[in-house]
């Protein structure tokens, strides 16, 4: 089956990035959200990011204009029903995702493939609540979507080969690389990345180093482009904690126990860049470590 139309659920940071790369690759995109303000902001963000690509000679003005013309928005979720592929990029809460797929189900075409951009929730479990578990898989983009080259494709226990191949063709058409992952907690990237971030928080919690020394050590000592605490702020500390809880609950291994300091920051509402405070304070001209 050749995919031509793509529905994107959620107009946040991930949703607008997915819409951007899909429209640029020639797909017709319909993006939905419960907020018109979020949809307007998403379209403006895509426009700004495409303009940046034009200014750097990555794409032409005509390619940008064509991509923008392929993006439509709606506040009515069920409008996405007739699309060939739906990518859900809503809040990382299982109940929210289940409700979205439940609402979409009566309006889908028989061939429509359902996917989730979840970073850690069981694909098999999400698929089992739909009428098409064989046409359901994980389609996990990295943030920021237009820049990051990897997409994790996660098969649930029931995902069929045709669905996998159709999604793989999409990844190739948008010029990214697919990593095939099995459906176990946090898949590949976050299974490896989040415990490293959690260990960096433990290193801070136990007083082995401060925020600056921990980040400098990993940037200069391991050649990481961002330190782990800086990266945690970029991802969102609530997201980091949620993924650590998925790992801890799903694998029942104490090595995945979330650091109490990470929990404390989330309880304080210090979630990183999006709230202007996390392991760094972003309210001034330069980020300042908070401990």
């Amino acid at each position: 089956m050749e995919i031509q139309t793509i529905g994107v659920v959620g107009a946040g940071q991930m949703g607008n990035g997915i819409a951007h790369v899909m429209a640029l690759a020639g797909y017709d995109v319909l993006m939905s959200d419960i907020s018109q303000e979020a949809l307007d902001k998403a379209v403006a963000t895509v426009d700004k990011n495409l303009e940046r690509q034009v200014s750097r000679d990555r794409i032409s003005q005509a390619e940008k204009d064509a991509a923008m013309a392929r993006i439509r928005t709606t506040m009515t979720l069920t409008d996405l029903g007739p699309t060939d592929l739906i990518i859900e990029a809503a809040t990382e809460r299982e109940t929210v995702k289940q409700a979205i797929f439940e609402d979409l189900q009566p309006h889908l075409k028989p061939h429509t493939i359902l996917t989730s951009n979840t970073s850690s929730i069981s694909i098999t479990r999400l698929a089992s609540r739909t009428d098409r578990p064989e046409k359901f898989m994980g389609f996990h983009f990295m943030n920021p979507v237009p820049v990051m080259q990897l997409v994790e494709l996660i098969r649930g226990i029931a995902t069929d080969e045709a669905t996998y191949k159709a999604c793989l063709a999409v990844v190739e058409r948008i010029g990214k690389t697919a990593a095939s992952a099995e459906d176990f907690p946090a898949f590949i990237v976050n299974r490896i990345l989040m415990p490293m971030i959690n260990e960096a928080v433990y290193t801070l919690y136990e007083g082995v180093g401060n925020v600056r020394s921990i980040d400098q050590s990993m940037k200069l000592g391991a050649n990481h482009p961002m330190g782990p605490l800086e990266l945690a702020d970029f991802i969102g500390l609530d997201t980091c904690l949620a993924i650590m809880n998925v790992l801890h609950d799903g694998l029942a291994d104490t090595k995945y126990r979330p650091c109490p300091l990470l929990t404390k920051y989330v309880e304080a509402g210090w979630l990183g860049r999006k709230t202007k405070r996390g392991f760094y304070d972003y309210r001034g001209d330069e980020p300042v470590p908070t401990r």
Side-chain angles (χ1 to χ4, degrees):
M1 188 198 102
E2 193 182 342
I3 289 164
Q4 292 174 316
T5 55
I6 293 178
V8 179
V9 183
Q13 200 171 22
M14 297 306 290
N16 77 59
I18 294 166
H20 172 143
V21 297
M22 293 299 176
L24 196 54
Y27 292 106
D28 290 320
V29 178
L30 181 58
M31 181 166 46
S32 81
D33 200 281
I34 53 171
S35 154
Q36 186 60 50
E37 187 186 354
L39 288 167
D40 294 343
K41 188 178 169 190
V43 171
T45 301
V46 174
D47 188 79
K48 184 182 78 179
N49 290 337
L50 284 167
E51 191 55 48
R52 186 180 293 139
Q53 287 179 290
V54 172
S55 69
R56 292 175 180 172
D57 291 328
R58 301 263 169 84
I59 63 170
S60 68
Q61 185 64 46
E63 285 172 316
K64 180 207 160 178
D65 294 343
M68 287 306 297
R70 290 186 196 106
I71 298 173
R72 294 180 299 123
T73 64
T74 179
M75 284 179 66
T76 308
L77 178 66
T78 53
D79 287 350
L80 272 57
T83 57
D84 300 324
L85 168 68
I86 293 176
I87 304 171
E88 170 274 313
T91 311
E92 190 68 355
R93 285 212 308 275
E94 191 164 347
T95 49
V96 172
K97 294 179 187 298
Q98 282 175 348
I100 286 165
F101 291 125
E102 209 170 281
D103 289 350
L104 279 168
Q105 203 161 284
H107 305 274
L108 301 174
K109 283 184 174 177
H111 70 263
T112 300
I113 293 172
L114 293 176
T115 67
S116 177
N117 183 56
T118 180
S119 51
S120 59
I121 296 166
S122 166
I123 298 301
T124 299
R125 199 163 61 235
L126 285 172
S128 72
R129 303 288 293 268
T130 73
D131 65 345
R132 59 194 68 208
E134 71 289 345
K135 284 187 166 62
F136 193 110
M137 71 182 303
F139 210 124
H140 182 216
F141 289 86
M142 306 297 129
N143 185 28
V145 179
V147 176
M148 301 296 275
Q149 286 302 301
L150 187 79
V151 178
E152 282 183 312
L153 289 181
I154 306 104
R155 300 184 215 221
I157 203 165
T159 308
D160 65 24
E161 189 63 16
T163 298
Y164 173 76
K165 284 188 170 161
C167 290
L168 180 60
V170 172
V171 176
E172 288 170 350
R173 182 163 154 185
I174 62 176
K176 298 195 184 293
T177 301
S180 185
E182 292 303 312
D183 184 26
F184 290 101
F187 319 131
I188 296 172
V189 174
N190 284 316
R191 170 80 178 261
I192 296 166
L193 176 66
M194 284 303 156
M196 185 197 78
I197 286 175
N198 195 50
E199 198 59 35
V201 184
Y202 266 115
T203 308
L204 179 66
Y205 176 62
E206 292 167 7
V208 180
N210 60 29
V211 169
R212 204 178 288 287
S213 67
I214 290 165
D215 277 352
Q216 276 181 340
S217 295
M218 293 310 290
K219 281 198 282 192
L220 303 179
N223 208 23
H224 289 195
M226 290 171 88
L229 301 175
E230 186 187 359
L231 181 57
D233 276 358
F234 179 75
I235 293 165
L237 303 194
D238 51 341
T239 302
C240 294
L241 180 60
I243 295 170
M244 285 310 300
N245 280 325
V246 164
L247 281 165
H248 192 237
D249 296 345
L251 298 168
D253 191 325
T254 53
K255 73 179 180 181
Y256 299 115
R257 185 171 71 98
C259 179
L261 184 62
L262 179 61
T263 305
K264 195 61 67 186
Y265 268 78
V266 173
E267 286 173 346
W270 291 19
L271 308 180
R273 284 179 179 270
K274 60 187 171 188
T275 58
K276 304 286 187 199
R277 271 195 292 191
F279 292 113
Y280 292 85
D281 189 324
Y282 299 92
R283 293 173 297 175
D285 294 335
E286 290 286 321
V288 179
T290 52
R291 57 174 56 212

